[in-house]
Amino acid sequence: MEPDDPAEALSELRERRLGALELLQAAAGSGLAAYAVWALLLQPGFRRVPLRLQVPYVGASVRQVENVLSLLRGRPGKMVDLGSGDGRIVLAAHRCGLRPALGYELNPWLVGLARLYAWRAGCASHVRYLREDLWKLPMLETKLQAELPSGARVVSGRFPLPTWEPAVVLGEGVDRVWAYDVH
């Protein structure tokens, strides 16, 4: 066989046992890769958030997106997603006719990822994602109550609004969403 034959090289690798140095290199490389994911994707969103309020990014599941859309079905007007992550809910809302669809997210990497997904879906000129620190908004619930028009609906995924009474609760576990109607 030729020395550059891929089948022969693969069989040599399978027969070879890893030594302590090679295992150490593999472990160090895996640790470095895990740290890179943390530093690039997750940590930027935690920098300005008080420690007691930090929550890791967990993308919305297909079921959670369906639950949110079912609570917004038949309602005209704009859709704003606070803490939009990778933008799945904003894109789905735009596809269902809610316009304009806008997402706010603290993590710049997730904003970039959301914009990439919107571009790939052909919706980049119709949806917007902005990097915004929601923790700088004083008393978010009070602000929403004061500024939203009567009849608006606020839908919250994974975290309910503590001082508001939900009109509808849909789903279970991490897919649960709460709907609040503004009066």
Side-chain angles (χ1 to χ4, degrees):
M1 284 199 179
E2 295 180 21
D4 292 336
D5 184 18
E8 183 179 332
L10 186 59
S11 73
E12 284 180 25
L13 283 174
R14 285 186 180 150
E15 294 171 5
R16 187 171 173 222
R17 295 183 57 152
L18 292 178
L21 179 61
E22 291 154 329
L23 284 174
L24 181 64
Q25 288 173 336
S30 299
L32 184 61
Y35 176 76
V37 167
W38 163 255
L40 294 175
L41 293 178
L42 301 174
Q43 188 182 24
F46 287 151
R47 286 193 186 128
R48 294 187 201 113
V49 178
L51 188 59
R52 64 184 167 70
L53 297 175
Q54 289 183 4
V55 255
Y57 164 69
V58 179
S61 66
V62 171
R63 186 73 187 141
Q64 186 181 27
V65 173
E66 290 171 356
N67 289 342
V68 168
L69 292 178
S70 71
L71 292 175
L72 294 174
R73 193 160 286 125
R75 295 174 98 48
K78 80 157 69 169
M79 185 276 191
V80 177
D81 186 4
L82 304 177
S84 59
D86 64 4
R88 302 169 201 213
I89 293 175
V90 174
L91 272 178
H94 172 75
R95 289 181 182 135
C96 288
L98 291 169
R99 296 198 173 91
L102 174 65
Y104 289 100
E105 174 60 46
L106 174 62
N107 187 324
W109 296 97
L110 290 174
V111 171
L113 187 60
R115 289 175 179 161
L116 174 67
Y117 289 158
W119 175 77
R120 285 178 47 197
C123 301
S125 62
H126 304 289
V127 297
R128 288 183 51 210
Y129 298 98
L130 302 173
R131 183 170 181 259
E132 193 69 47
D133 188 350
L134 299 177
W135 302 111
K136 289 183 179 175
L137 295 176
M139 314 261 259
L140 181 60
E141 294 174 37
T142 306
K143 183 174 178 63
L144 290 173
Q145 187 71 40
E147 295 183 12
L148 289 173
S150 182
R153 175 165 273 188
V154 175
V155 177
S156 176
R158 299 228 171 97
F159 304 100
L161 299 174
T163 63
W164 286 16
E165 187 68 33
V168 181
V169 178
L170 187 62
E172 296 295 324
V174 296
D175 296 327
R176 179 174 285 172
V177 293
W178 294 262
Y180 307 90
D181 293 328
V182 177
H183 303 291

